[in-house]
Amino acid sequence: MKNSTLAFVFVAPALLFLLAVLGWPLVQAILLSFQNVGVIGSEGRFVGLDNYAAVLGGAGFWRAFGRSIVWVVANALVQTVLALVTALILNQKFPGVRIARTWIILTWIVPTVVIVIIWRWLLSTSGGMINPLLVQAGVIDRPVGFFATREGAMTTLIMINSWRWFPFTALMMLAGLTRIPGDLYEAARIDGASALKRFTRITWPLLQPTLMVLTVVGTLLSFNVFDVIWLLAAGGPAQASQTLPVLIYETAFKGYRLSEAATISVITSIILMGFAFLATRAMLTNEAAR
């Protein structure tokens, strides 16, 4: 009991700070979702659950929700593959590995606006570097607009976002790899296990706790990505990249339906909190079973 009380005392300031920064705006959003406010600062009247009925009964929310699911799953797959390969390479001993481990995080710490400017230039149909390289390699016949089609825009955004975030995931995986005892690999080599067997029987099972944590954190972060999507494609073309965060922004500041945007925010928060709760319980259950 004494240790628990002491732990709570140390954690209390951070909890109070989070409650003030996140809790109060969330309460305001909930209250706003029961009104019919259109513009920030204007008065509204109580409408009950009308906003929730309108949002859940409309096709726009569900289409944006479906795009968000595609966005999260695709980012998770691409980032996991890139991060796992990178982590396995950085876990080896070779000249310059310390420098590589330090500079791999560069794409993650660079501001989003800088990332957007770089990729806009690289992917430009006039003056960009990617199109000429693809033409010279024979992959395409003429320059293409990466954001001109629905499928191309979403695919390009996923690759750019994954390129930015996979170094962070790779470092987390690398931390998990360094905790695996080297004696296990040495014993497996002595027994004649191939590299594939060592990966499937040692690396992958012992990396599961790290992967589960990254799944939860990565899903929450990816679901809430707004800046990259908006700055590069603004939810287009033809709403092809309009995920829930983009829909919330457009509803509030372009459609002037602030209460409806707050309603979508509350529903999104409930979905994410439910996912976090279920995923955390699954992690604890799996850890207890181990």
Side-chain angles (χ1 to χ4, degrees):
M1 180 64 69
K2 182 178 179 181
N3 291 335
S4 299
T5 303
L6 183 62
F8 179 78
V9 169
F10 283 119
V11 174
L15 292 177
L16 292 174
F17 177 78
L18 288 175
L19 184 63
V21 174
L22 301 177
W24 178 247
L26 181 60
V27 171
Q28 290 298 311
I30 294 173
L31 295 176
L32 192 61
S33 68
F34 293 111
Q35 303 176 41
N36 65 341
V37 178
V39 183
I40 295 177
S42 62
E43 295 293 331
R45 61 181 178 84
F46 181 78
V47 295
L49 297 175
D50 289 353
N51 288 324
Y52 289 90
V55 169
L56 295 176
F61 171 81
W62 295 109
R63 284 196 293 263
F65 180 72
R67 296 186 197 101
S68 293
I69 297 299
V70 172
W71 169 264
V72 169
V73 172
N75 272 280
L77 292 175
V78 176
Q79 289 180 37
T80 299
V81 172
L82 291 176
L84 183 58
V85 172
T86 304
L88 291 173
I89 294 174
L90 294 179
N91 196 40
Q92 307 301 315
K93 294 181 179 179
F94 58 87
V97 65
R98 292 183 179 273
I99 298 176
R101 289 180 178 181
T102 302
W103 286 97
I104 187 66
I105 202 69
L106 182 63
T107 60
W108 183 65
I109 63 176
V110 172
T112 304
V113 175
V114 177
I115 297 292
V116 169
I117 292 174
I118 292 173
W119 279 104
R120 274 190 176 278
W121 171 65
L122 290 174
L123 298 175
S124 174
T125 54
S126 57
M129 293 180 60
I130 302 298
N131 270 306
L133 289 175
L134 293 178
V135 171
Q136 292 178 10
V139 178
I140 57 177
D141 296 328
R142 59 172 182 261
V144 298
F146 289 92
F147 298 104
T149 63
R150 296 173 60 89
E151 296 78 10
M154 181 61 91
T155 302
T156 304
L157 288 170
I158 290 170
M159 297 306 297
I160 292 174
N161 190 68
S162 298
W163 170 83
R164 186 191 179 193
W165 280 94
F166 91 87
F168 172 79
T169 307
L171 288 182
M172 297 300 103
M173 288 187 182
L174 181 61
L177 290 174
T178 56
R179 290 197 296 267
I180 300 177
D183 296 342
L184 295 177
Y185 292 107
E186 189 62 31
R189 289 192 188 94
I190 294 174
D191 291 339
S194 63
L196 180 61
K197 285 288 186 181
R198 294 197 298 269
F199 175 79
T200 56
R201 300 296 178 87
I202 299 175
T203 305
W204 185 253
L206 295 182
L207 202 59
Q208 290 303 308
T210 302
L211 290 175
M212 292 187 69
V213 173
L214 288 174
T215 298
V216 177
V217 176
T219 298
L220 298 178
L221 292 176
S222 294
F223 205 98
N224 289 310
V225 168
F226 169 79
D227 48 8
V228 171
I229 298 175
W230 182 258
L231 292 173
L232 282 170
Q239 299 181 338
S241 57
Q242 187 193 59
T243 56
L244 281 178
V246 176
L247 176 63
I248 293 170
Y249 177 85
E250 291 184 339
T251 303
F253 302 110
K254 296 183 70 176
Y256 302 107
R257 302 190 304 276
L258 192 61
S259 289
E260 186 176 326
T263 303
I264 301 173
S265 300
V266 172
I267 295 173
T268 303
S269 298
I270 293 173
I271 293 173
L272 293 179
M273 285 189 290
F275 168 78
F277 175 76
L278 294 176
T280 303
R281 287 200 62 179
M283 285 192 297
L284 293 176
T285 303
N286 184 66
E287 190 65 27
R290 295 168 70 90

